[in-house]
Amino acid sequence: MLVVIPAILGKTPLEQVRSLLKDGRFVDGRLSAGTRARQVKHNEELQSTATQMERLNSIVMGALVQHPLYQAAAMPVRVATPFYARYTPGMRYGDHVDDPVMGPPGGQYRSDISTTVFLNEPESYEGGELVIQTGFGEQSFKQAAGDAIIYPSSSLHHVAEVTRGERLVAVTWTQSMVRDPARREILYQLYQAREGLLKNHPGETETTRVDHAYVNLTRLWAEL
Ligand code: NI
């Protein structure tokens, strides 16, 4: 399931993020890559002071993690500290699957869901699409600044070469309380039905039944 969560960051936070990134120090992204990814990864990642990172993370992750659609679609139990990546002309990230287990010893988590938050406007660079293989073929994403996309970390994906301008994104991973992507999708569909019913038919028996089914199916499938 691919879900675009529109406008998690508004104009002012985006400006703050971009100004923090402008002053930051970027290093070769291969330093943080696994063996396989190192062969196809060609980008740069922010390596800033702890204070700058904290400010960035509180803006970006604060907005993402509190978003109701992210909560409903990802059902997070652990969320990683993000990377801030920059792609300038000639940079790309070839086809790969994200590492299954990430994080430092003692703080490891399973990556069930990958998230990309787009930090600059799509018109300001050429190329740089996030291309994800799905059961229905390839899907390509180049979202507005402030949008987030979540997709299963198990899917093969790449970032197309940037040919003009620069692409700025934050990327992070989530361990979900529902490990199976098919189950997460069912829960998300039921969540959407329940939200609609609670809004439009709050007092009806069907609403209560769908609400109960959603809550109890979550209880059945959630692992903490
Ligand atoms: Ni990836």
Side-chain angles (χ1 to χ4, degrees), residues 93 96 98 151 157:
Y93 197 158
H96 67 281
D98 292 343
Y151 57 99
H157 57 278

Side-chain angles (χ1 to χ4, degrees), residues 5-71:
I5 306 171
I8 67 152
L9 293 170
K11 199 165 168 275
T12 311
L14 273 173
E15 277 164 9
Q16 290 169 333
V17 166
R18 286 195 294 246
S19 120
L20 283 163
L21 291 179
K22 216 171 157 195
D23 300 335
R25 188 168 82 90
F26 281 83
V27 298
D28 190 336
R30 275 171 279 218
L31 295 172
S32 71
T35 320
R36 165 77 188 112
R38 201 171 298 141
Q39 298 168 349
V40 292
K41 189 175 186 182
H42 185 196
N43 66 4
E44 295 174 323
E45 279 163 7
L46 184 69
Q47 203 175 66
S48 261
T49 62
T51 325
Q52 266 189 324
M53 285 298 211
E54 263 170 43
R55 285 186 63 198
L56 273 169
N57 292 346
S58 82
I59 301 171
V60 175
M61 297 311 282
L64 177 71
V65 170
Q66 284 165 29
H67 201 288
L69 286 187
Y70 171 77
Q71 281 290 337

Side-chain angles (χ1 to χ4, degrees), residues 29 32-34 37 41 43 45 57 60-61 64-65 70 74-85 87 93 96-104 107-117 130 149-155 157 159 169-177 184:
S32 71
K41 189 175 186 182
N43 66 4
E45 279 163 7
N57 292 346
V60 175
M61 297 311 282
L64 177 71
V65 170
Y70 171 77
M75 309 187 73
V77 64
R78 287 201 187 112
V79 186
T81 313
F83 284 91
Y84 299 88
Y87 293 73
Y93 197 158
H96 67 281
V97 170
D98 292 343
D99 282 345
V101 178
M102 300 193 194
Q108 288 184 307
Y109 59 92
R110 188 183 64 236
S111 61
D112 294 317
I113 294 165
S114 304
T115 304
T116 298
V117 184
L130 171 64
I149 173 167
I150 69 170
Y151 57 99
S153 301
S154 53
S155 47
H157 57 278
V159 177
V169 292
V171 290
T172 184
W173 293 270
T174 307
Q175 179 172 329
S176 176
M177 59 182 86
R184 278 201 306 274

Side-chain angles (χ1 to χ4, degrees), residues 186-204:
I186 292 169
L187 283 173
Y188 188 56
Q189 286 168 341
L190 201 51
Y191 163 85
Q192 288 172 304
R194 169 187 179 250
E195 287 301 292
L197 286 168
L198 286 170
K199 187 165 168 243
N200 301 319
H201 308 280
E204 306 208 0

